[in-house]
Amino acid sequence: MSCDAKNTIDPTELKREILSKYPAKVARKRSKQIVINQVDDEGNVPEIGANVRTVPGLITQRGCSYAGCKGVIMGPTRDIVNITHGPIGCGFYSWLTRRNQTKPPTDADDNFITYCFSTDMQDKDIVFGGEKKLKAAVQEAYDIFKPKAISIFSTCPVGLIGDDVHAVAREMKEKLGINVFGFSCEGYRGVSQSAGHHIANNGIFSHVVGRDDTIMDAEFKINLLGEYNIGGDGFEIDRILGRCGISVVSTFSGNSTYDQFANSHTADLNTVMCHRSINYVADMMEEKYGIPWIKINFIGAAATAKALRKIAAYFEDEALIARVEAVIQEEMPAVETKCLDVKKRCDGKTAMLFVGGSRAHHYQELFREIGIRTISAGYEFAHRDDYEGRKVIPEIKLDADSRNIEELTIEQDPDKYAARKTDEQIQSLEAAGNQFKDYKGMMPEMEKETLIIDDPSQFETETLLEMYKPDIYCAGIKEKYAIQKSGIPMKQLHSYDSGGPYAGFKGAVNFYEEIDRMINANIWAYLEAPWQAAPELSAKYAWE
Ligand code: CFM
């Protein structure tokens, strides 16, 4: 029934309708970030505005730079003591709020993820400076936990008053004899958490990667970059890779440890899962150590099979290629049985995905497998390359906000660089259809006329829901209940609600079941959306 409505909506009209509610200047800005998708034969798509400041007053889904650094990148590492230098709220709200899991091999191994370390900055520290307090906190953490490493995260006031966290880190490193490093990841450092990813990754690359040259005794060694083990995704990926005989030296940063980062330059291939948060690390590792990188995706059963085949093709080993095929053959029947069953009830339904900087793309694969079309999607904080593909990177203009984030100058390491493949080998692999250093982005894979919205506001979300009435909407906790009140099931794709894993083969089965349960539950029919209860209810903006 609602299908007709979806097909008759003119996205151009809808965009005009949304923009008409904004003041002219805001409308101009938003019009660049709301794009009607078109894909030509070469896979070219329209330009989208992305990675720009949110207009003050619009209710955004975004987080801050500190969140991206401390929570996203460093959050899943279990044996580094992460101290938040700042008011207690910043530490508290980034304490176990992301469902990244970790599994120390034994109870004796360090696991600090369950702790919240903070300097608990007070007014007097803002006035007189907080460096002394920070030093005392580092000392105290060391005395109690004796960790391998301690890292320090700057919150907004730290930058405003000018505490030098790096000087404190240097001094304490010298004094304690362990690795201590700081991050200038004040919340305001960038336009979103994306800046924090970059700051964290630069820090790990400068302070940790390359410090342990032990070569793992394994035949096929890879790093998994941009996989954060949300809901146990990383465990499922490790299970599958393990079955294939592929060894993971380091995951950045799901279920990771300090030693794995330190050792990661010994891997022979970097595989990039979340392009947004980590693509620059892959580039830096290639330049400094000679490790090529490929984009892979373990979200979706077909995507998982494809990722495994890509890795096997890179190593050019017949036994590995055969083993990967055997694993796919063994794993797929259970997935296909579930998929066929669920598809009976989900085929033809529609979804909208507004998540982070990567999942709004990856999850379209899983939905497609059970016959669900994505009719509108967008990211909170992705850059143009995540939408349009890496080919637009040279065109992206650096603005003042991007310049704020340090770009490391990387050179070949005189001792540790070893090209894993010669140029000729890479070329012949490319000729055989393998792609290196490439990501085509989300938009080329989306249908024409779908609405792509960057950094959507709450008002835009509500308008989309009202007009399109999708069968399911995916975003985060801030959006969840407002959306469900309008009678539309809402799946959290950040935390997975309480579910997961959704990666790999077993994850696909979990996801199909979950979406089937949510979409086909009777409960939604009993809910009345505000516009159904009071269709004439309207309001005017002050400037109208
Ligand atoms: Fe990468 Fe992520 Fe994402 Fe991200 Fe995130 Fe996340 Fe995400 Mo939430 S690193 S960009 S900053 S895939 S926490 S595990 S779900 S917004 S789409």
Side-chain angles (χ1 to χ4, degrees):
M1 97 233 124
S2 53
C3 281
D4 296 342
K6 283 160 205 159
N7 292 335
T8 53
I9 289 165
D10 174 2
T12 314
E13 190 46 47
L14 181 57
K15 179 175 172 178
R16 196 175 308 136
E17 161 87 18
I18 289 173
L19 295 178
S20 71
K21 295 288 189 290
Y22 290 134
K25 212 173 140 193
V26 179
R28 258 200 312 282
K29 188 163 185 196
R30 289 303 297 154
S31 78
K32 295 188 189 130
Q33 290 171 275
I34 304 176
V35 168
I36 297 146
N37 196 33
Q38 296 298 335
V39 191
D40 72 11
D41 296 341
E42 274 107 56
N44 295 312
V45 292
E47 178 176 337
I48 187 163
N51 193 31
V52 290
R53 289 184 190 186
T54 303
V55 176
L58 288 189
I59 302 177
T60 173
Q61 302 178 351
R62 284 176 169 176
C64 69
S65 171
Y66 161 81
C69 182
K70 196 261 180 187
V72 175
I73 305 296
M74 297 303 291
T77 304
R78 66 171 169 265
D79 59 357
I80 300 178
V81 165
N82 291 326
I83 301 179
T84 298
H85 186 31
I88 195 63
C90 304
F92 182 81
Y93 286 107
S94 58
W95 179 27
L96 293 182
T97 41
R98 186 159 171 262
R99 289 185 65 239
N100 41 245
Q101 301 184 5
T102 199
K103 208 186 270 165
T106 70
D107 287 347
D109 288 275
D110 284 342
N111 179 11
F112 305 126
I113 284 186
T114 49
Y115 290 90
C116 174
F117 301 93
S118 167
T119 52
D120 185 20
M121 220 177 213
Q122 302 293 321
D123 297 2
K124 72 172 187 333
D125 304 314
I126 308 271
V127 176
F128 299 108
E131 289 180 14
K132 269 197 202 134
K133 200 171 190 185
L134 177 59
K135 272 181 225 171
V138 173
Q139 182 70 52
E140 188 182 345
Y142 176 78
D143 292 342
I144 299 172
F145 296 101
K146 299 280 179 316
K148 285 193 174 115
I150 296 177
S151 69
I152 301 161
F153 299 88
S154 307
T155 56
C156 294
V158 173
L160 296 173
I161 64 174
D163 272 1
D164 189 345
V165 300
H166 305 285
V168 172
R170 277 194 300 274
E171 187 186 324
M172 295 311 283
K173 182 178 179 178
E174 183 103 337
K175 182 174 177 200
L176 303 174
I178 60 162
N179 202 350
V180 183
F181 43 93
F183 297 100
S184 292
C185 57
E186 290 86 349
Y188 59 77
R189 275 283 164 178
V191 302
S192 69
Q193 53 266 65
S194 169
H197 304 152
H198 210 142
I199 293 162
N201 282 317
N202 281 351
I204 286 296
F205 194 80
S206 309
H207 295 286
V208 188
V209 171
R211 289 175 164 251
D212 174 6
D213 294 330
T214 319
I215 309 251
M216 182 194 257
D217 180 21
E219 216 175 342
F220 307 109
K221 297 187 285 291
I222 67 167
N223 290 320
L224 205 50
L225 305 187
E227 161 46 50
Y228 300 93
N229 203 18
I230 308 297
D233 276 353
F235 297 145
E236 166 66 358
I237 297 171
D238 285 347
R239 178 189 75 82
I240 297 169
L241 291 171
R243 286 201 66 195
C244 297
I246 299 162
S247 307
V248 180
V249 178
S250 180
T251 301
F252 284 62
S253 56
N255 193 31
S256 59
T257 62
Y258 178 83
D259 289 342
Q260 288 163 8
F261 289 146
N263 194 231
S264 57
H265 63 297
T266 63
D268 292 320
L269 174 69
N270 275 325
T271 59
V272 174
M273 177 93 177
C274 164
H275 176 265
R276 175 63 270 128
S277 60
I278 206 154
N279 66 88
Y280 33 84
V281 170
D283 278 337
M284 294 193 291
M285 283 187 102
E286 175 152 29
E287 271 167 58
K288 189 163 180 183
Y289 302 110
I291 311 170
W293 70 266
I294 56 172
K295 173 77 177 74
I296 45 98
N297 171 26
F298 284 106
I299 302 295
T304 299
K306 195 169 153 193
L308 295 173
R309 289 187 175 120
K310 278 185 176 180
I311 297 169
Y314 167 82
F315 285 107
E316 301 177 90
D317 182 278
E318 288 308 322
L320 176 64
I321 292 169
R323 213 157 48 234
V324 158
E325 288 307 324
V327 169
I328 296 170
Q329 287 257 312
E330 279 170 36
E331 298 272 346
M332 278 308 268
V335 180
E336 276 159 4
T337 309
K338 178 58 73 180
C339 183
L340 279 176
D341 174 46
V342 166
K343 201 170 177 181
K344 283 186 255 162
R345 291 176 297 277
C346 292
D347 202 20
K349 305 272 186 195
T350 56
M352 288 186 179
L353 286 74
F354 290 94
V355 203
S358 153
R359 296 187 169 186
H361 180 198
H362 286 166
Y363 275 80
Q364 292 186 27
E365 297 242 9
L366 266 175
F367 278 117
R368 209 175 293 130
E369 287 173 356
I370 46 174
I372 299 178
R373 287 169 55 219
T374 302
I375 52 174
S376 184
Y379 296 123
E380 291 169 41
F381 52 76
H383 302 199
R384 277 183 62 201
D385 38 316
D386 305 296
Y387 286 101
E388 302 169 52
R390 283 180 69 87
K391 64 182 174 193
V392 303
I393 290 178
E395 295 171 28
I396 298 177
K397 289 182 211 83
L398 275 186
D399 60 12
D401 290 311
S402 314
R403 279 199 200 94
N404 220 354
I405 302 153
E406 188 192 13
E407 279 291 336
L408 301 180
T409 317
I410 303 298
E411 284 168 8
Q412 268 191 20
D413 189 297
D415 306 315
K416 299 182 185 182
Y417 181 92
R420 305 311 201 266
K421 296 268 181 194
T422 61
D423 289 347
E424 293 76 53
Q425 283 173 315
I426 294 280
Q427 277 157 19
S428 84
L429 278 166
E430 279 174 340
N434 302 286
Q435 285 163 339
F436 291 88
K437 295 166 85 136
D438 196 30
Y439 176 48
K440 302 253 182 291
M442 174 170 83
M443 287 165 68
E445 282 188 8
M446 288 189 66
E447 291 175 27
K448 286 181 186 171
E449 301 285 307
T450 45
L451 259 188
I452 316 291
I453 306 186
D454 180 64
D455 186 19
S457 70
Q458 188 179 339
F459 160 67
E460 290 157 12
T461 303
E462 283 170 3
T463 311
L464 279 183
L465 288 178
E466 190 175 338
M467 301 300 288
Y468 283 97
K469 300 183 179 55
D471 296 297
I472 191 158
Y473 192 98
C474 301
I477 187 65
K478 299 195 288 292
E479 296 75 50
K480 187 172 175 84
Y481 298 101
I483 287 162
Q484 292 197 157
K485 278 179 189 163
S486 54
I488 290 166
M490 148 73 216
K491 178 69 190 167
Q492 291 192 67
L493 283 189
H494 300 260
S495 70
Y496 300 164
D497 296 299
S498 51
Y502 296 137
F505 299 115
K506 291 196 172 158
V509 169
N510 288 340
F511 194 76
Y512 304 155
E513 279 175 350
E514 174 74 343
I515 297 305
D516 183 23
R517 183 187 68 78
M518 290 182 80
I519 286 192
N520 295 306
N522 294 334
I523 184 79
W524 308 109
Y526 296 107
L527 280 173
E528 222 172 40
W531 59 83
Q532 290 167 314
E536 75 286 355
L537 195 70
S538 68
K540 271 192 177 277
Y541 287 88
W543 56 80
E544 281 181 317

